[in-house]
Each structure stands twice: as C-alpha cells, then as structure tokens.
Amino acid sequence: MPKPAKMLEQRIDHFFSMPAERADRWRDVVAAARAWSVGRADQNAAEAAFAELGPIEGFHAFPGSALMARLSDRLRGGDAVGFTDLVRRVSAAIVTRDFKYDPAEWRTTEEVVDTPADVLPPTLRHGDAKRPYFEMLIVAPGATTQAADQIAQLRNLRRPEDAFIYEIVPVDSFEDAICAAIINPDIAAVTIFEGFNYASRHSAPVLRSVLSGLGLDGARAEDADLALLLANSLKRLRPDLDIYLLSDRQVENLAGDARSASIRRVLYAIEEPLELHLSVLEGIQDRFETPFFDNLKKYARRPISTFHALPLARGKSVFKSDWIRDMGEFYGINLFLAESSATTGGLDSLLEPTGNIKRAQEMAARAFGADHAFFVTNGTSTSNKMVHQAIVAPGDIVILDRNCHKSHHYGLVLAGGQPLYVDAFPMTEYSMYGAVPLRSIKKALLDLKAEGRLDRVKMVDLTNCTFDGHIYNTRRVMEECLAIKPDLVFLWDEAWFGFARFSPVLRPRTAMGAAAAIETWIHGSAAVEAYEKQQQELGSDPTVDELLTTRLLPDPRKVRIRVYQTNSTHKSMSALRQGSMVLVKDVDFYTVESQFHEAIFTHASTSPNQQLIGSLDVARRQMELEGYGLVLNAIEISLAIRRAVNSHPIISKYFHMLGADGMIPAQYRESGFVDFLAPDTTWASQVRSMHDDEFCLDPTRMTLVCGTAGFDGTEFKALLANVYDIQLNKTSRNSVLLQSNINNTRSDVAQLVRVLLEISNGIETRLARGGDGERNALAARVKSLMTDVPDLPNFSHFHEAFRQDAGRATPEGDMRTAFYGAYDATGCEYIPLHGDECNRRLREGPEMVSANFVIPYPPGFPIMVPGQVITEETIEFMRKLDVKEIHGYEKARGLKLLKPEVISTKLRH
Ligand SMILES: Cc1ncc(COP(=O)(O)O)c(C=O)c1O
C-alpha cells in the first residue's frame, strides 16, 4: 500500500488544490506508463507513480475498487500496454468528468468488448446521459472491505424513472468520513450505519489538527453517540449534505433526540433498503427543485395570447421583424416566451409573494442559513436601501464604515438616519482602505453610552468582505457590540461574499454563519457562567480602556440576534446581473416586518424581470448541490495564480500579488498567520487565523501590484482588456484587483500567467535595449506610483449646523438636511478646486461645507458627503487624484458648496 495520507500532511493549499493535484497525479501515472510501454522507463517508475495516487482514491467512487484492482493486476502482471490503455482512459475520465455520464468509462478494456452485466453500475447504462450524478458516502463498520453487498443492493434498486444517479463511496471511520466530505465535492448525501471506527487507517495528522481547530475532535469509537457526533460534524463542515442514519437501536428515541436535528431521516437498519434509496433521491430532489424557475418554464410552454403591456412576450414582433430579428436570434425564443408579468396567471408576485416565489425564497433562506430571504432584482444597491428604510427611522444613529458602498450613504439620506462614520485602517501605499478596526466601533458605542445616547443607535453597518477582500471577524464584532448594546441590529453588506456560505473555512466569517454560532452559544449551558465571570473580572465600573482591550461577552439572557445580510448573487453565483438577496436572521423581525414590506414596495420595481427571479432560484439550486466544489475550485484557482505570479523568476521582478501580510497589518493578525503561501502555513494555522484574527483575507480577491512594473491601475486594466481580452475588477493607483470565481478554470490561470510573462518580457527587452535612460525612466515612474502617494483623508466632521441634534463628543450628523439643502440652487456656490479662493477659504474661512457626495473612482468611497466640512487633507487628496471619474464633482465649475449664509441661517434655527 502507498504511504498513507501523504497529501494530507502538506500545506494548506494542498487541501484546497486536491482536485487539481489528483488530476496531476493521474497524469504522472499516464506519463510513467507510457514511458514503460515504449521501453523508455522500467516498471518500477510506473509502480511508484501509481503508488503516489495514495489513499485519496478511496474517497471517490470513480474509478472505484474494481478498476483500481484491475490496474494493479496489470501493473503487477507486467502488462505495460494494458496498464497504459486503462490508466490513460481513467485519467481522462477524471479530468473530463465523463465517468458521470458514460458507462464505458467504468469498464476495463476487456469489458468494452465483452461486458459482464454485473460489473457496470446499472444506472450508468446508455440512455441515462442527462441525469445529474452525485455520490453518496456510506459510513459503516467494515465498509471498505465488506460493503460490496450493500452497494450492489442499492444499485439493484435503481430504476429508469429515477431522476438522478449516484455511486457510493464506502468508508469505515469517523475521520475518513470527514476527509471524504472535505475532499470529494461530488458527495451530496451520507448514510451512516452505527458501529464504525473513530480513527482512520491512514495517518492524517493535518486532518486531526483541522478537526481540532474546528472543534470536531475529541470523539472516541466507544462513544455511544459517535454516529450523532459524526452527523453534526459533517453538517458543520457541509450544511448542504443530506444525512441519513441507519440504526438498529430504538430509532424512535434517536429521532426524538434534539441532537439529531442535522439528520434528514433516521431509519431502522434492517428496514427496506428501498426506503433509503427513495429518501436519498427525494433529498436531492428537494434541493434540485426550483419552484419559480420550474413554473416559468411551464408558463413558457403554454400557448398564451397577451393583451397586456408586454410587447416582447412570445417574440412575435421580434421574429417577424426585418429590423430586430437578430435580437431574437441572439437571445433565443425562450427569453420571449418567458417574458411575463406577475399579474398574468400562474406566476407569483415578487412584491407580495404567496406562491412559487415565496417557496423559492424559503428555499434560499434554508440554503443560506437565514430565517427569511428576499429576492431583489435591482442589485444590492437596492437591497441595502431596503434594509436602511426598514430598520432606520429619522434621527436614528447608524455606525457606518465611511468607505462603504454609496448605497448605504444614499440609503441613510433617504431614511433620515444619522451616520456616525468610523474609518477603516488606511493602506496608503496602495491608495486603498482596509476594514474598520473593532476598537473604533466599540469606542463609538462607548462614547455614545457616555453621553447617554446609546438608545439612539439602531444599527452597525459594515462591508464583509470589503472590495479588496478584508473579512471581518463577524462573530467577534457582533458579540462585542452586543455586550455594549444587546439589541443592536447589524447590516453586513456581503455583496462580494455570498459564495462564502459554501466554504467551511469562510462560513464562520459570514453574517449568517456568525449569527448561527452566537445563537448556539447563547443557548448553551456555559454562556451565562462565562458572562458572569467576565463581569466579575471587569468589576462594577470598568474603564473605557479596559472595555476596549477586553474581548467582551454579551449577556446571553439579554441578547437579541438581529442580523441582516445583503449579497449580490450576481457577483459570486449564477444569478443574472442585478440579481441580489436580502437575508434576515432577526428574532424581532415580526416587529419590523410591515415596514420591511413597505421598504420593498418603495424600492422594488412593479415590473420585475422574470428571468432575474428565475436565475436567483437557479443560483440557489446550484450552490446547494455543487456550491461546495465550485467554491473550492475558486479558492484553488486563486492560490494557483498567487503562487504562479509570486514565484515566477521574471514575472515576480515586476509584479506581485499581495498576501494576507501585505493586506492586513500584523496587529490584526493576532494568530501570527502570514499568508496562504507562506512556507509554514498549514490548514490548522489557517483555521486558527479564521477563528481568532480580527481580519482575514478572502483568497479569491487578489491584489496585483502593477506600479512596480510602471503601470498605474487604470492603465494596466485597460492594457489587459484591450490587448489581451482579460477583464479585471477594480483598480487603485498602483494595483489592480483580480477575482477568481466559480467559473474559472486552470486554463484561465495559464492565460493570465502567459500574459503577465509577455508583459514582463517586454519590460526586460525595453530595459536591455534602452540603457540607463530607460532604466531611470522606469525607476522614476515606479517611484511616483509606489512612493509619492497621497495620504488618504479620514472623515473630517459634519458642520455644527448639521449637528444640532448630535452628541457633544460623538461625530454623527444630519446628512439628510444638508443633502436637501442643496436642492435650493441659490443656496449653493461653486469654488474651483485649484484656485486661490479655495486656499483662502481653507486659511481664513468661512469653512467650506460640501453640498453633495463626491466619490472618486477609484477608490470609490465618498471623500465628501453633504454637510461635511472640507479640510486641507481632503483638498490635497483631491488635487493629487489622477483619476478620470469623480462622481459629484464638475471639473469646470469646481466644488459644490452650501453657501455660508445658508449655514449661518441653519445654525440660528
Ligand atoms: C460593497 C458593495 N455593496 C453593494 C454594491 C452594489 O451592488 P450591486 O452592483 O449588486 O447593486 C457594491 C457594488 O460594487 C459593492 O461593492
């Protein structure tokens, strides 16, 4: 047997890159086999490469024990040609995934000629090509050695009318079950028979440290409840899995045990296996169903005449037209057949759903771990405004990251809430911001408390992860804030981060993941004691400093869990552009439900696009059935890109990808975590970092520094788009942001690396030919981009005229009054940014007060908001900005200000 679990002993990225690594190992075996078959190498090399496949194959249904045994026989029997043929086909089937649909892939070469019926999984015979395929993990004593009968029995139950086909992965221990669930994304269901072992037959020290990091260790084979423990552990890792428990104990008691909540069905072990088979298929069907999309397809098939305001419906005016037929040909007939309105029969209303949209939303809530989900067809820009309107009343204070997306600022203007801006840590050298330190948020709350104004604070509103990939410690932020005010509402803008739900590593850092963890904690037996202990330690009158430096625990008896999350489903999952969701986990939702509906009525279109709603439904289906593997792939791709760029001898001379250490100051990486690619990083250190650190980096958001190659971000983005057809996300002065997605492949990595190499080679050639002159020019350009960077201005302050309702020491302001003040054109003035008048006003006053939002792209945050006093730092930053797009600033007229007399009048009132 090969050296056991070798791969598990390696660095963190090896866990993430398991699928690619597996494919590579098979390719190595193919290469060694070929060399052996043509006499270029001996059998030993082929044997060594085959052995390298390791125990990981046991965690996949394909090629399975029969094919592996056949390969082994040929290898040992010295059949170089036969071995090579078979290994080549197996390897190709793994890469192309053809084994899911083509029964021939499961046969050995001889069987292709003469197939014994019982060798093939019956469901994989011809005619089943379109049925979705998944794998079921069976955890049972002796599963790997004695499961053949059980597996054959289950296979015999399969019928042509089954909607899905599945194959079985047998394991016989707790550790192997966890390992299989981590490594094999095709596993969609798990059946547990009691009596299995705890420890793996393989040595898996890294797995053990991962389990301990996740709090999943500590079980023993003797534990009577090992099966329940396994079910709960699997569910914590992959909530998408359907888990079945077969027991020969009193199943009624088991089913009634609160800990069996993670089990879909408890069955009596000697009951009909058909029951299990049907339950498994039903479980998948439950996730596969897309109530709205299914109904839309049905609707599109009906012969319908419309006398409605739907001129495109059925496409007649398109396909008959001489002038716009190409539109029909481009989009296809279904777009027009499915063009409809909620008010026509059969479809549901997004504004007041009672039928299939309601059901689709409930399923989305389940998938994302929320109590409620609401589909939004106008992007997260609208989702954010809906939450603001629903939660915030005029005058309420909202603690808000000044650097957040503009929809939050505008949302507050509309709702009349008063922003109390907190600043993110600056990353001046890259002209971007990080995230807001928890200390600043706690300080804001404690200051408000000191002024007796805590009751005015309604919500804390943060972006997780930030555009550039800073992930908050959502649990810690919420717990510590709730320790100061137990009924705070949280809005987490997870526009970029919706996919994170489907990664066990990232999930605890999401709004819903953290809310669930806090919920479990407050209902646990240790919470009150832990809280009381901390209260005693803090004493009756702790100083502000003590409160700031203590990791505060909330009072579990008082906490209200009120968490809202918005996500641009279209940014990280398979929804069409603008498809977004609001997720709600709010114990007091009933108190705001009617106003939440008012907010929907205010902001949602009365003609929402049916295709968008359908795509949200389908995006949920996809993530519930294959999200785990897709996210694993996105992370794997990003790690491959990071590694390729940073280790390439030529590319890395000019470009580099910022790691966690480059994006997050050490003080916020308390665990000491350096980066995913650092030599001593392990899965355990990654898990620890995700658990403990104030900020982590989303590996899929990659900041590529291009200033060191002499390109500013905008210029480099244009170069890649125009010359190389590579589209990037955002830019900063000296960097660009790349994002790996659920649809990226290894070819994308290769293409990017090839392009970066071509550009780097171009620089090398230019430098070699241009001599000192060229070298000096590049050095000067790099210096200007990387060193002569403008300081990033913090939020200055609101003018006193807009703070009459504010605290003495707390910086909130009445932005709405300032915003609407600018509607009177006679009350506004313009001052050129670069003129003397601007300098004079800075020196001598009266203070300049912004009449509107000014948002430069990049960096994309408002450097001025209505009512804000403009300071020297702001002007300096504006003057140094070399970006073309500045929303709210008209270059020809200058800064739009509220006139001093308008301000004075306001002050007098
Ligand atoms: C943090 C954040 N929130 C919200 C939005 C708006 O999302 P959408 O484009 O779906 O309207 C964006 C857009 O870039 C964003 O970056």
Side-chain angles (χ1 to χ4, degrees), residues 561-577:
I561 295 179
R562 308 198 60 188
V563 184
Y564 291 73
Q565 185 252 34
T566 53
N567 79 76
S568 295
T569 323
H570 70 93
K571 287 196 207 295
S572 73
M573 292 167 271
S574 295
L576 292 171
R577 209 82 179 128

Side-chain angles (χ1 to χ4, degrees), residues 378-381 384 405 407 463 467 493 495-496 568 570-571:
N378 317 65
T380 298
S381 304
N384 287 334
H405 186 256
S407 50
T463 306
F467 215 140
D493 178 341
W496 300 102
S568 295
H570 70 93
K571 287 196 207 295

Side-chain angles (χ1 to χ4, degrees), residues 706-866:
C706 56
T708 38
F711 296 104
D712 72 48
T714 317
E715 182 186 8
F716 192 61
K717 179 176 173 169
L719 173 71
L720 289 194
N722 300 337
V723 180
Y724 298 102
D725 284 334
I726 293 180
Q727 287 187 4
L728 300 181
N729 206 311
K730 81 178 250 285
T731 61
S732 82
R733 180 181 172 84
N734 46 27
S735 72
V736 291
L737 180 74
L738 287 80
Q739 181 186 343
S740 65
N741 238 312
I742 59 170
N743 66 350
N744 283 118
T745 62
R746 290 174 87 185
S747 316
D748 298 331
V749 182
Q751 168 67 353
L752 180 71
V753 171
R754 193 191 65 72
V755 165
L756 291 179
L757 182 58
E758 192 176 314
I759 297 172
S760 305
N761 278 333
I763 302 173
E764 295 260 282
T765 312
R766 227 176 53 226
L767 291 180
R769 291 190 188 145
D772 282 351
E774 196 63 51
R775 260 193 301 280
N776 292 341
L778 178 64
R781 175 84 178 131
V782 171
K783 178 171 177 302
S784 135
L785 289 168
M786 300 300 299
T787 318
D788 305 336
V789 286
D791 273 343
L792 295 172
N794 274 347
F795 178 72
S796 54
H797 54 272
F798 284 109
H799 192 278
E800 276 310 309
F802 304 105
R803 285 182 35 80
Q804 289 169 351
D805 179 34
R808 276 168 293 118
T810 55
E812 69 274 17
D814 172 12
M815 187 161 68
R816 175 154 87 167
T817 303
F819 180 90
Y820 286 109
Y823 276 32
D824 175 8
T826 60
C828 296
E829 60 178 347
Y830 288 87
I831 291 193
L833 176 65
H834 293 279
D836 283 346
E837 177 60 2
C838 182
N839 296 338
R840 190 190 65 72
R841 289 279 292 270
L842 279 177
R843 253 191 344 263
E844 300 164 17
E847 285 180 314
M848 293 188 283
V849 177
S850 185
N852 62 348
F853 289 103
V854 176
I855 308 179
Y857 283 86
F861 67 90
I863 58 169
M864 296 174 203
V865 306

Side-chain angles (χ1 to χ4, degrees), residues 633-635 637-638 641 699-702 738-742 744:
N633 177 62
I635 296 176
I637 296 283
S638 81
I641 295 177
T700 70
R701 306 190 71 75
M702 296 163 275
L738 287 80
Q739 181 186 343
S740 65
N741 238 312
I742 59 170
N744 283 118

Side-chain angles (χ1 to χ4, degrees), residues 588-636:
D588 294 327
F589 187 60
Y590 69 95
T591 62
V592 293
E593 194 163 0
S594 63
Q595 60 219 47
F596 193 88
H597 288 294
E598 292 288 359
I600 293 177
F601 297 151
T602 307
H603 294 283
S605 164
T606 43
S607 311
N609 183 300
Q610 307 296 321
Q611 332 307 331
L612 270 175
I613 305 171
S615 75
L616 284 165
D617 200 10
V618 171
R620 186 276 310 150
R621 177 211 284 175
Q622 180 178 40
M623 295 315 279
E624 270 200 306
L625 283 161
E626 57 177 344
Y628 175 77
L630 292 172
V631 174
L632 198 67
N633 177 62
I635 296 176
E636 175 190 345

